[in-house]
Amino acid sequence: MEEWAATASGFLFGRRTYEEFSAVWPAITDPADRNAARLNTLHKYVAATSPVDVAWGPVTVLDRDVEASVAALKREESGELQVHGSGRLGRSLLAANLVDELRIAIAPVIVGQGRKLFGDTRAPSGFKLLSEERTPSGLIMCRLENTGNGSAGTYVRGQTNLAGAAQD
């Protein structure tokens, strides 16, 4: 996760995730904690329709047409804007085709009922597996590139074809 955060030039949060993060991360001041250093110093953009305490700055509140604002940020800003948590925001950005890459951590636990990761997505999205890492405890961390179309990997018992890539 530290490697993923190291590539960020800024962060994009939904209001609730921003509030949860801002209650914890500012208190983590150990200079050896690189995630805290990045989260506490890089610019944060918050999608919100209600007031937000912007004390955990630097921060810009995106309160109108979030998708258009993010599209403009992608054109104007260099570097990588990362969304951490913020499921509803992430789903709206996927629907607007504003997501270039997904980074998903899959934990080997069942937590019961909850929200679907991708919700009831209307438009198909295809992703190509760029990399995966596995930890000894079974955590799987995947990087997936948005292919911009509905084609996706297929599965046939004993054989996998991920967006045209040959697999053993």
Side-chain angles (χ1 to χ4, degrees):
M1 295 303 288
E2 192 172 280
E3 289 177 27
W4 287 356
T7 61
S9 60
F11 297 98
L12 179 58
F13 297 109
R15 180 191 50 80
R16 279 183 272 174
T17 303
Y18 172 81
E19 288 173 349
E20 290 169 6
F21 276 43
S22 68
V24 175
W25 286 101
I28 303 172
T29 58
D30 178 358
D33 188 327
R34 289 185 263 174
N35 284 336
R38 296 194 70 71
L39 281 163
N40 289 327
T41 60
L42 292 180
H43 202 95
K44 291 159 276 294
Y45 299 90
V46 181
T49 56
S50 56
V52 176
D53 178 355
V54 296
W56 185 44
V59 66
T60 300
V61 176
L62 308 176
D63 58 358
R64 296 195 192 334
D65 198 349
V66 172
E67 289 84 1
S69 297
V70 171
L73 284 170
K74 286 181 65 167
R75 286 190 304 273
E76 297 164 8
E77 300 287 326
S78 62
E80 182 176 293
L81 281 177
Q82 292 183 358
V83 177
H84 291 254
S86 306
R88 187 168 49 176
L89 173 62
R91 286 187 294 279
S92 74
L93 297 177
L94 275 168
N97 199 29
L98 291 170
V99 175
D100 299 319
E101 185 175 297
L102 289 176
R103 296 178 186 172
I104 299 176
I106 304 163
V109 298
I110 297 173
V111 294
Q113 294 184 7
R115 292 186 187 106
K116 293 179 184 177
L117 178 60
F118 299 109
D120 293 325
T121 306
R122 304 265 187 256
S125 296
F127 291 87
K128 175 183 171 186
L129 181 65
L130 297 175
S131 66
E132 73 172 71
E133 291 184 50
R134 297 169 186 258
T135 67
S137 65
L139 183 70
I140 303 169
M141 300 186 333
C142 300
R143 285 185 55 227
L144 303 150
E145 176 183 41
N146 189 341
T147 62
N149 61 41
S151 68
T154 57
Y155 175 79
V156 176
R157 186 178 292 285
Q159 177 182 345
T160 303
N161 177 12
L162 296 171
Q167 299 288 317
D168 293 322

